[in-house]
Amino acid sequence: MSLLGRMMSLYSFLHASLIVANLVAGIYCPWVLLGLIFSIWLFPLICWHIHQVMWPLQSGLSFFARPKYSPWWGSYQIQHLFLVIPALERVLHLLPGLFSVWLRAWGSDIGKQVFWAPNTLILDRSLLKFGDGVIIGHRCSFSSHVISLSKTGELILFVRPVEIGSGTFIGAGSDIGPGTKVAPNTRLLPESKFYPNQKAGFDTVPP
């Protein structure tokens, strides 16, 4: 891994430290607690957009462990604290529509009236394409990346957006992998599993 990649591994610690600093400062100056909005949600967003300008995240295959810096790794680290402490993100579900706004801010293409169960797990917030009226059941997960071993033992990273058509229902406990495409108005059974580049619902709906 590159030097920059190792440095980015410390990002979630920096993010958490900024949040704690705001909490401690708020003991002495309560108005400082307003900074929590910045430290929890706005700070990582700003960092991600700067990172995206300097090291754009691209779809496709790459060798993950080589010395060249992986833009996906940096992007993932900026989002890491939300995976470690899901409550930081789940609170956004209290206001209808706010979670979709949150994902759009990360660069995802999210349609109108999408229902997100609060326990939804999203690993790559910038790599989703959802149509209108999608309903997502309890404990579904969406990953737009996968890391595997090549025949020579090297780590291979595959990145591709997840695409969900309008009117789709995704049953509870489903796992959706990178490059998955689901046709509009498809009904996925609970605990459906989709591996990279799989499709669903296109037997009756043109791709």
Side-chain angles (χ1 to χ4, degrees), residues 131-207:
D132 299 334
V134 176
I135 298 176
I136 300 160
H138 184 64
R139 293 191 182 280
C140 291
S141 69
F142 298 86
S143 176
S144 299
H145 78 274
V146 66
I147 298 175
S148 58
L149 285 174
S150 70
K151 293 180 179 180
T152 59
E154 285 192 274
L155 292 175
I156 298 178
L157 169 68
F158 175 67
V159 176
R160 182 162 290 171
V162 170
E163 300 182 23
I164 309 294
S166 296
T168 293
F169 174 85
I170 301 177
S174 295
D175 297 322
I176 312 298
T180 296
K181 293 184 179 181
V182 179
N185 302 311
T186 301
R187 299 292 183 265
L188 299 184
L189 296 174
E191 299 188 1
S192 296
K193 309 296 180 184
F194 286 87
Y195 298 97
N197 288 332
Q198 284 191 318
K199 296 182 180 181
F202 288 103
D203 51 338
T204 57
V205 179

Side-chain angles (χ1 to χ4, degrees), residues 37-107:
I37 296 175
F38 172 81
S39 59
I40 295 175
W41 298 292
L42 297 182
F43 176 70
L45 264 179
I46 293 170
C47 291
W48 183 84
H49 281 281
I50 293 173
H51 183 274
Q52 184 70 356
V53 170
M54 299 181 68
W55 300 282
L57 182 59
Q58 298 179 346
S59 297
L61 289 168
S62 62
F63 289 96
F64 181 64
R66 291 185 179 182
K68 184 179 179 181
Y69 178 65
S70 169
W72 170 82
W73 175 254
S75 176
Y76 183 79
Q77 292 303 314
I78 293 172
Q79 303 170 66
H80 191 240
L81 192 63
F82 297 113
L83 301 176
V84 176
I85 311 176
L88 295 177
E89 193 169 57
R90 287 179 184 171
V91 69
L92 300 176
H93 290 272
L94 293 174
L95 185 62
L98 183 57
F99 191 69
S100 289
V101 172
W102 167 248
L103 294 176
R104 292 182 195 118
W106 284 93

Side-chain angles (χ1 to χ4, degrees), residues 1-12:
M1 182 176 290
S2 67
L3 176 60
L4 180 57
R6 294 189 180 94
M7 293 174 62
M8 287 302 298
S9 298
L10 298 173
Y11 179 88
S12 57

